[in-house]
Amino acid sequence: MTWNVENLFRPGQPGGPTSTNVYEAKIAGLAEMIARQAPDAVSIQELGDPAALDDLVTALGGTWHRQVSAHPDSRGIRVAWLSTLPISEPAEITAFPAPLQPVQVDDHGATLATMGRGAVAVTVTTGSGIPIRLITTHLKSKLLTFPGGRFSPRDEDERARFAAYALARRAGEATTLRVAVSAVLAGEGDERAVILTGDLNDSPQAATTQLLLGPPGSEIGTGGFDRPDRGDGMRLWNLAPLMPAGQDYSRINQGRKELIDHILVSKALVTPLSGVTAHTVIDTPLESIDPADPPARRNEPASDHAPVVATFAHL
């Protein structure tokens, strides 16, 4: 399961709810959803205070292993893994790989050479003895912020510039992840089980999402899927095409349904395809965040994202 839980802070913290009742309702709702789906591993985005993850684990009950990123963004949000399986080989993915250069992030020429929110990689081993490398990430948002903390631009020229800065950051972050995945696969993706998951902040066909797949071709639903080739060992497959109609979006953006939370897997996990399913869990209508006033949802007891779940029957 992958889930952007939307600003999971304890009450009173910046970005967190002002009400203890709202916080407790949110923890209870998150725990109920996770328990109902009963995943072996959950990747979490927008975790604020790591102590809030402790509260969630307490609400879940049972034994949960965890790995929390040590590299949050400027708002204090980060990613994490929870798993009922023991976790080993934890690693952070942060620095842009050489020779990729830093990207410009504002009008004054400031640059960034690291991911805004560090990604986290861990290894778990299934009951049948298959090791799986899990990576979770939260790429740069399409939500634009402007100097002084504004969410609205002074003019359309400023909007265009800051949209370009955000896109360059997201592309740099996607490249960083792709290099990390390539190192793990080492050309042996038909043997090495790898899952890259998280909030990619764009759709399956977006350039930054496609960049993560590796060699072009062979996507699920295309004529090349059943034709093995030399690129298979380095590819990732997005499971989005497996989602049933009506369960193929994870949030609503200004009234439009979109899938921005993804699960990508190596060849070892997408074969046989008949044993793989993917869907979102949408119990209630998702609320759109207001781009002009994102903090307005501070006291909402539910996330504005739906969790995405994949099952691999052959593991």
Side-chain angles (χ1 to χ4, degrees):
M1 174 188 282
T2 183
W3 200 359
N4 181 321
V5 294
E6 190 186 10
N7 294 327
L8 186 57
F9 290 90
R10 280 181 161 176
Q13 296 178 325
T18 58
S19 164
T20 298
N21 289 339
V22 169
Y23 176 73
E24 291 176 348
K26 183 166 186 173
I27 290 292
L30 295 175
E32 190 278 332
M33 174 67 79
I34 293 171
R36 177 154 40 105
Q37 296 300 313
D40 298 295
V42 185
S43 75
I44 291 174
Q45 301 86 47
E46 288 203 16
L47 169 66
D49 182 1
L53 189 63
D54 297 338
D55 296 336
L56 177 58
V57 169
T58 297
L60 282 167
T63 301
W64 289 88
H65 308 274
R66 73 195 81 178
Q67 188 67 37
V68 179
S69 172
H71 295 85
D73 68 7
S74 59
R75 290 191 293 143
I77 62 171
R78 67 196 79 206
V79 301
W81 277 107
L82 285 179
S83 179
T84 59
L85 305 170
I87 286 172
S88 63
E89 303 177 288
E92 294 259 343
I93 303 168
T94 55
F96 287 4
L100 185 65
Q101 295 297 303
V103 296
Q104 183 178 350
V105 296
D106 66 19
D107 284 346
H108 302 291
T111 59
L112 193 67
T114 61
M115 298 184 67
R117 295 175 277 256
V120 171
V122 299
T123 297
V124 298
T125 301
T126 69
S128 56
I130 299 173
I132 303 178
R133 192 62 170 167
L134 303 173
I135 304 171
T136 183
T137 190
H138 186 182
L139 299 188
K140 174 69 180 79
S141 176
K142 291 188 291 184
L143 178 66
L144 302 182
T145 55
F146 303 94
R150 289 178 287 114
F151 293 104
S152 298
R154 291 194 174 94
D155 54 44
E156 290 311 302
D157 292 351
E158 185 180 56
R159 187 196 303 275
R161 292 195 306 274
F162 277 81
Y165 302 150
L167 180 58
R169 284 183 61 179
R170 194 159 60 253
E173 292 172 347
T175 300
T176 300
L177 286 167
R178 180 59 237 188
V179 169
V181 166
S182 295
V184 173
L185 291 175
E188 299 179 7
D190 49 356
E191 300 290 338
R192 298 186 179 188
V194 177
I195 299 177
L196 170 62
T197 184
D199 182 351
L200 303 186
N201 264 310
D202 221 329
S203 65
Q205 295 305 316
T208 50
T209 308
Q210 289 283 307
L211 190 158
L212 292 166
L213 303 183
S218 297
E219 294 181 50
I220 295 171
T222 68
F225 177 76
D226 292 322
R227 300 174 188 169
D229 63 42
R230 289 181 297 176
D232 282 354
M234 294 298 283
R235 283 194 176 100
L236 292 179
W237 279 260
N238 195 329
L239 300 185
L242 300 182
M243 293 182 173
Q247 293 181 299
D248 55 358
Y249 68 98
S250 58
R251 79 162 187 175
I252 297 176
N253 181 26
Q254 301 184 70
R256 296 187 296 270
K257 296 177 180 178
E258 59 182 18
L259 181 67
I260 65 172
D261 303 274
H262 300 266
I263 298 177
L264 283 60
V265 305
S266 62
K267 183 70 170 180
L269 292 174
V270 82
T271 305
L273 188 62
S274 59
V276 185
T277 61
H279 66 282
T280 50
V281 187
I282 304 169
D283 287 346
T284 58
L286 298 173
E287 292 189 31
S288 291
I289 191 171
D290 182 354
D293 187 20
R297 287 187 48 84
R298 181 175 183 178
N299 285 312
E300 292 295 330
S303 174
D304 61 338
H305 290 240
V308 179
V309 181
T311 302
F312 304 90
H314 53 289
L315 297 181

